[in-house]
Amino acid sequence: MAQIMYQPTWLNTKITANHQPSPATNASAINSPVTNIPAINLPAIKQWSAIKLFYRQHMPYARLAQKESVAVIHHLSSSTIDGTDEVDISQQKIIAAIRVKPIGQYQLINGLLVHPDYRGQQLSTQLLKFIAPQLITKNCFLFAHPWLIDLYQQLHFIVIDQHDLSAIPADIIQLYRRYHSEQRPLVLMQLNEPDK
């Protein structure tokens, strides 16, 4: 039986398939040996389709946008990464993902999701540590489920008290109020300096 290996990577969201050339561009391309028609990035399209399917199956209310950065963990067997076979990430099963969404000059972490069969294996922590170098301290926020507060606190996020909301950017507060409800209570958290 092959050993299970986990490898976080950034998902390639630079997809050009939706940028189809205009009919005028096509006509000129017939007479011109050099064109500026964007190439279709099939591996990126496959990755994007796989991540959308992953969220649709396990977090159906999530809405992905291509402007987000998405980090994923694939289920890779050791036989795939032992150097004898070339790894095709787009063909591997996604087992965990997290999204970093730009909100003006701020960042919002959302959509932390681990496949039910792989929970309890520290994959959330692994993903959070993987994306940490890309996060902007003091400008990074998340809306945590109450049972995940301890996880985020271990990674230098602090709970924002309801009395301190006036110090939080309006764009973040507006989103927080949209997603937070009595039926789905969320806790606003902000990335703090690691030494504080």
Side-chain angles (χ1 to χ4, degrees):
M1 184 172 172
Q3 178 186 357
I4 304 302
M5 306 289 287
Y6 300 121
Q7 174 183 330
T9 58
W10 287 104
L11 185 73
N12 181 1
T13 58
K14 305 293 186 255
I15 301 172
T16 59
N18 293 329
H19 306 302
Q20 296 297 326
S22 66
T25 306
N26 279 335
S28 63
I30 296 171
N31 299 322
S32 173
V34 179
T35 65
N36 290 327
I37 298 173
I40 296 176
N41 188 340
L42 288 178
I45 294 169
K46 287 180 184 179
Q47 288 181 10
W48 190 249
S49 296
I51 195 67
K52 288 200 314 191
L53 178 61
F54 179 66
Y55 275 101
R56 195 175 311 125
Q57 289 173 337
H58 304 289
M59 192 182 278
Y61 56 85
R63 297 290 176 261
L64 278 74
Q66 287 186 7
K67 67 178 182 175
E68 297 176 333
S69 298
V70 183
V72 297
I73 295 179
H74 293 91
H75 177 158
L76 302 175
S77 67
S78 58
S79 63
T80 309
I81 60 173
D82 65 2
T84 58
D85 298 325
E86 188 172 322
V87 177
D88 182 0
I89 293 292
S90 67
Q91 299 301 314
Q92 303 301 321
K93 177 181 178 181
I94 296 171
I95 59 173
I98 192 168
R99 298 154 49 203
V100 182
K101 182 176 184 175
I103 308 291
Q105 62 181 348
Y106 305 100
Q107 294 173 310
L108 180 66
I109 293 177
N110 61 354
L112 175 58
L113 175 60
V114 177
H115 188 287
D117 295 343
Y118 295 85
R119 291 179 183 162
Q121 301 182 39
Q122 304 289 315
L123 297 181
S124 296
T125 302
Q126 192 175 349
L127 272 176
L128 286 163
K129 287 180 178 177
F130 177 74
I131 68 169
Q134 304 297 321
L135 303 180
I136 304 168
T137 304
K138 290 291 186 187
N139 284 352
C140 184
F141 299 87
L142 59 83
F143 311 143
H145 292 289
W147 60 88
L148 293 176
I149 291 173
D150 288 343
L151 167 70
Y152 292 121
Q153 285 178 329
Q154 292 171 22
L155 297 156
H156 311 295
F157 282 87
I158 57 170
V159 173
I160 302 298
D161 188 270
Q162 292 294 319
H163 303 298
D164 297 331
L165 292 182
S166 61
I168 303 301
D171 290 344
I172 300 296
I173 292 297
Q174 183 179 8
L175 284 173
Y176 173 69
R177 289 187 173 138
R178 185 189 313 167
Y179 296 125
H180 172 74
S181 68
E182 285 185 23
Q183 296 77 26
R184 196 173 85 172
L186 298 170
V187 178
L188 178 58
M189 301 184 78
Q190 181 177 17
L191 184 60
N192 201 6
E193 297 288 348
D195 57 350
K196 290 188 179 181

